[in-house]
Amino acid sequence: AQSVAQPEDQVNVAEGNPLTVKCTYSVSGNPYLFWYVQYPNRGLQFLLKYITGDNLVKGSYGFEAEFNKSQTSFHLKKPSALVSDSALYFCAVRDFSSGGYNKLIFGAGTRLAVHP
Amino acid sequence: EAQVTQNPRYLITVTGKKLTVTCSQNMNHEYMSWYRQDPGLGLRQIYYSMNVEVTDKGDVPEGYKVSRKEKRNFPLILESPSPNQTSLYFCASSLQGGNQPQHFGDGTRLSIL
């Protein structure tokens, strides 16, 4: 069965420091991977995706993610955190086995808290 | 502005009273989906639609119905709501294709007493 794991419920980081939000996945075949961010009282917003090609993917708001096939990971990173980055982050993988090919399987989410 | 609009945003109701949550998108997307978000579980798919008049069950469809009579609209119907359907609900849409990101509405928080 395909799955996504976000091992940390919460990540705390000081403003200006680099941040990493971890994600590992389990899929059959090549993964299509996504990161979304959720701000309070808002829906999920797309940050970035990995489909194929360069393992380092750049996305919105200065975020990037590194795809590592051998470790089955897709960690989200940012060189310098901002207080405004504080939000709930979801990693997701496309499930091609059901859900009409567009279905996403989400991790449980990681709350990022950036302190001034 | 490209958007997915859900209504209502908040609803408190009682067990057994039928309710409908509307979802509308203005991006001409073929694919639409409903998710529920519960703490520690992430988002789980309830129902999805590949196009007009084409709908199918997701992972947690029990107690829900949907319809897709028009491309832009995908309402979620709870015929007889129960307390275990208290949750945060999201509608999403996208173009067809596994590499397309999904666009989400702002959510509907349902409380079933």
Side-chain angles (χ1 to χ4, degrees), chain A residues 28-79:
Chain A
S28 54
N30 294 322
Y32 285 16
L33 294 157
F34 299 80
W35 275 103
Y36 287 83
V37 59
Q38 184 181 27
Y39 298 102
N41 298 316
R42 299 299 303 275
L44 280 68
Q45 296 178 34
F46 169 72
L47 275 180
L48 50 80
K49 66 181 179 182
Y50 172 82
I51 305 300
T52 187
D54 194 347
N55 289 344
L56 185 63
V57 178
K58 294 189 184 297
S60 306
Y61 311 123
F63 283 93
E64 57 189 29
E66 186 169 11
F67 171 66
N68 187 316
K69 188 172 184 177
S70 63
Q71 297 186 5
T72 62
S73 67
F74 188 55
H75 300 333
L76 182 70
K77 300 181 180 183
K78 188 174 183 181

Side-chain angles (χ1 to χ4, degrees), chain A residues 32 34 36 38 41-46 49 51 88 90 94 96 98-104 106-109, chain B residues 9-10 31 35 37 40-43 45 48 50 59 88 90 94-102 104-107:
Chain A
Y32 285 16
F34 299 80
Y36 287 83
Q38 184 181 27
N41 298 316
R42 299 299 303 275
L44 280 68
Q45 296 178 34
F46 169 72
K49 66 181 179 182
I51 305 300
L88 187 57
F90 288 97
R94 188 75 76 194
F96 287 98
S98 65
Y101 307 115
N102 288 51
K103 177 185 173 184
L104 292 172
F106 287 88
Chain B
R9 292 290 313 279
Y10 305 92
Y31 185 90
Y35 296 89
Q37 182 182 8
L41 296 177
L43 279 76
Q45 190 182 53
Y48 68 94
M50 299 281 283
D59 294 322
L88 180 58
F90 288 100
S94 72
L95 294 169
Q96 290 288 19
N99 62 346
Q100 298 297 325
Q102 293 189 16
F104 286 80
D106 283 339

Side-chain angles (χ1 to χ4, degrees), chain B residues 27-39:
Chain B
M27 295 167 279
N28 203 35
H29 287 165
E30 296 91 358
Y31 185 90
M32 297 186 74
S33 180
W34 276 102
Y35 296 89
R36 59 178 289 173
Q37 182 182 8
D38 300 292

